[in-house]
Amino acid sequence: AQKITQTQPGMFVQEKEAVTLDCTYDTSDQSYGLFWYKQPSSGEMIFLIYQGSYDEQNATEGRYSLNFQKARKSANLVISASQLGDSAMYFCAMRAIGPGGGNKLTFGTGTQLKVEL
Amino acid sequence: DAGVIQSPRHEVTEMGQEVTLRCKPISGHDYLFWYRQTMMRGLELLIYFNNNVPIDDSGMPEDRFSAKMPNASFSTLKIQPSEPRDSAVYFCASTTGLPFSGNTIYFGEGSWLTVV
């Protein structure tokens, strides 16, 4: 079974500062993908960034980067130059082949990020 | 592309009534997922389809829940009879490709269900 752990229920960061949101995962699969999603107060789930288990370089998407440490089974999200609009819930998720084959996406419990002036 | 489209966005219904949530996946996507989000349990996968066929429904809470995908562009999640504990946000999502291909799973805006 796959499991995602996000140990930070809430985080605060000053505007323009960088912040790291932690994510560890557990899986016996060799091939898997790790995702981060943002959920603002309006409720939609917005895809931010993806890292494949065989990718050697850390993924980056604009101000988002994923600090992937495979041996530690961690996939932390780094947001640089935080903006007020970054205030939201952030979910780490993993996609691996589940029973019966296929693309189940397992989510962590989320981290609520608040960006302050 | 229009994205994943869900309806209704908001639904308030009385306990015991039937509720039907609808989803139109992104055109060309062959995987469709139904998730439920609550404060207590977070995001839970209820069921997912591949090429309109249910692959894993182990997350469906009980027989009151059923899901269908009659064609590649439409899916429904039905609750009959509804109970207050079914109150949640129900997300539909879709994607294509193999699990490790990196293809993004796109979510709809969710259906906010309140059962009173």
Side-chain angles (χ1 to χ4, degrees), chain B residues 1 10-12 14 23 42 47 60 67 79 81 89 95 109 112:
Chain B
D1 202 325
H10 299 272
E11 173 101 4
V12 180
E14 292 185 345
C23 176
I47 185 171
M60 295 286 264
I79 307 172
V89 183
T95 190
E109 293 184 316
W112 297 62

Side-chain angles (χ1 to χ4, degrees), chain A residues 31-33 35 37 39 41-45 47 50 91 95-108, chain B residues 9 31 33 35 37 43 45 48 55-56 58 91 95-109 112:
Chain A
S31 297
Y32 51 89
F35 299 77
Y37 285 85
Q39 187 176 39
S41 57
S42 52
E44 68 268 35
M45 294 287 286
F47 166 74
Y50 165 82
F91 290 97
R95 179 177 177 182
I97 300 175
N103 291 269
K104 292 204 292 187
L105 193 63
T106 302
F107 283 87
Chain B
R9 287 296 315 279
Y31 284 86
F33 307 83
Y35 281 86
Q37 186 178 29
L43 277 154
L45 176 66
Y48 75 94
I55 301 299
D56 185 350
S58 60
F91 286 103
T95 190
T96 187
L98 295 171
F100 42 85
S101 69
N103 286 323
T104 302
I105 296 179
Y106 293 93
F107 283 75
E109 293 184 316
W112 297 62

Side-chain angles (χ1 to χ4, degrees), chain A:
Chain A
Q2 293 83 37
K3 185 176 181 180
I4 295 284
T5 302
Q6 295 179 254
T7 57
Q8 306 155 312
M11 290 279 287
F12 289 89
V13 64
Q14 294 283 323
E15 192 181 24
K16 301 180 183 177
E17 296 291 311
V19 63
T20 298
L21 306 183
D22 294 339
C23 173
T24 58
Y25 61 92
D26 189 21
T27 181
S28 56
D29 292 294
Q30 295 300 309
S31 297
Y32 51 89
L34 295 155
F35 299 77
W36 279 90
Y37 285 85
K38 172 184 178 182
Q39 187 176 39
S41 57
S42 52
E44 68 268 35
M45 294 287 286
I46 302 168
F47 166 74
L48 295 178
I49 195 167
Y50 165 82
Q51 178 86 40
S53 58
Y54 293 116
D55 294 341
E56 295 186 350
Q57 291 197 335
N58 288 341
T60 59
E61 289 285 347
R63 294 186 298 110
Y64 304 108
S65 61
L66 201 153
N67 183 3
F68 181 48
Q69 298 187 43
K70 192 170 182 178
R72 294 186 175 184
K73 294 189 173 180
S74 73
N76 299 339
L77 176 70
V78 180
I79 305 175
S80 62
S82 298
Q83 302 172 357
L84 294 178
D86 294 334
S87 296
M89 181 72 87
Y90 289 80
F91 290 97
C92 179
M94 178 170 63
R95 179 177 177 182
I97 300 175
N103 291 269
K104 292 204 292 187
L105 193 63
T106 302
F107 283 87
T109 51
T111 295
Q112 183 71 49
L113 177 67
K114 174 74 172 176
V115 180
E116 301 174 317
L117 289 169

Side-chain angles (χ1 to χ4, degrees), chain B residues 80-93:
Chain B
Q80 167 63 19
S82 58
E83 297 181 3
R85 60 192 168 121
D86 301 330
S87 298
V89 183
Y90 291 82
F91 286 103
C92 177

